[in-house]
Amino acid sequence: MSLDVDPPEPPELAAVDPNEYEDAEVAGGEYRRDDIEALLREGAWEDAFAEWAAGSDMDESDWRIAVDLRLVSRFDFFWDDFADRVGYHAPGLPEDWKERDLHPDLDSWGTVSAINAGLTELGQIVCETLKEEYIDWEADFEAPDDLPDFDE
């Protein structure tokens, strides 16, 4: 499938400790958000969005709900020096979406799942695009000398 929509503005990254997210565990404290945000604005966001939209399973009504709820602005991207990668936290719809009456067109678990999965995929593609095409720095982490050698 393909999603034919214009890319939204890249998210502004907040100074949140990524370890506060349920789905992240990051060593270190230098997350390079200012650098990442600059790279997103310099083209990484548009490049990643275009790649994601070309293969997305989200349809335009799912995307409209995500935009109406301003979910994209709640993405977070951060540098994980220990793993030498860009980490991310994707926004999503809560399990109690029905009780909260979040959006008039949000009416099924299928829609909720499509939006949550689609945003997770977008986050992953943004991270890969940043690391492969935009980031030219290397991790500062150096492993201790006393780690076992598993190659032998």
Side-chain angles (χ1 to χ4, degrees):
M1 279 180 74
S2 159
L3 181 62
D4 186 20
V5 296
D6 292 329
E9 288 295 311
E12 293 181 15
L13 307 181
V16 175
D17 182 344
N19 292 303
E20 292 180 23
Y21 301 127
E22 292 176 13
D23 58 352
E25 186 173 327
V26 181
E30 177 56 44
Y31 304 119
R32 302 187 80 154
R33 283 194 174 90
D34 291 340
D35 295 331
I36 290 171
E37 193 170 326
L39 294 172
L40 291 173
R41 295 202 177 285
E42 290 170 12
W45 178 258
E46 279 192 31
D47 291 349
F49 190 88
E51 179 183 335
W52 170 77
S56 178
D57 289 332
M58 281 179 80
D59 63 28
E60 289 184 21
S61 67
D62 296 340
W63 179 249
R64 193 169 32 262
I65 292 169
V67 169
D68 288 350
L69 294 174
R70 296 178 182 89
L71 294 176
V72 174
S73 68
R74 297 186 0 224
F75 265 106
D76 188 19
F77 298 96
F78 48 86
W79 180 246
D80 181 348
D81 197 56
F82 180 76
D84 191 31
R85 70 177 179 97
V86 178
Y88 74 102
H89 175 74
L93 297 168
E95 289 184 18
D96 64 349
W97 61 271
K98 251 185 188 176
E99 293 81 23
R100 294 169 93 182
D101 196 27
L102 296 174
H103 193 279
D105 295 332
L106 190 58
D107 57 5
S108 73
W109 277 107
T111 300
V112 170
S113 295
I115 291 169
N116 287 347
L119 293 176
T120 298
E121 291 168 358
L122 174 57
Q124 184 61 44
I125 290 172
V126 170
C127 291
E128 291 167 2
T129 300
L130 282 164
K131 180 72 169 122
E132 293 169 9
E133 299 176 30
Y134 285 85
I135 290 177
D136 60 2
W137 66 73
E138 294 186 20
D140 293 331
F141 177 79
E142 291 187 29
D145 294 332
D146 61 348
L147 289 177
D149 186 4
F150 294 107
D151 292 334
E152 294 178 5

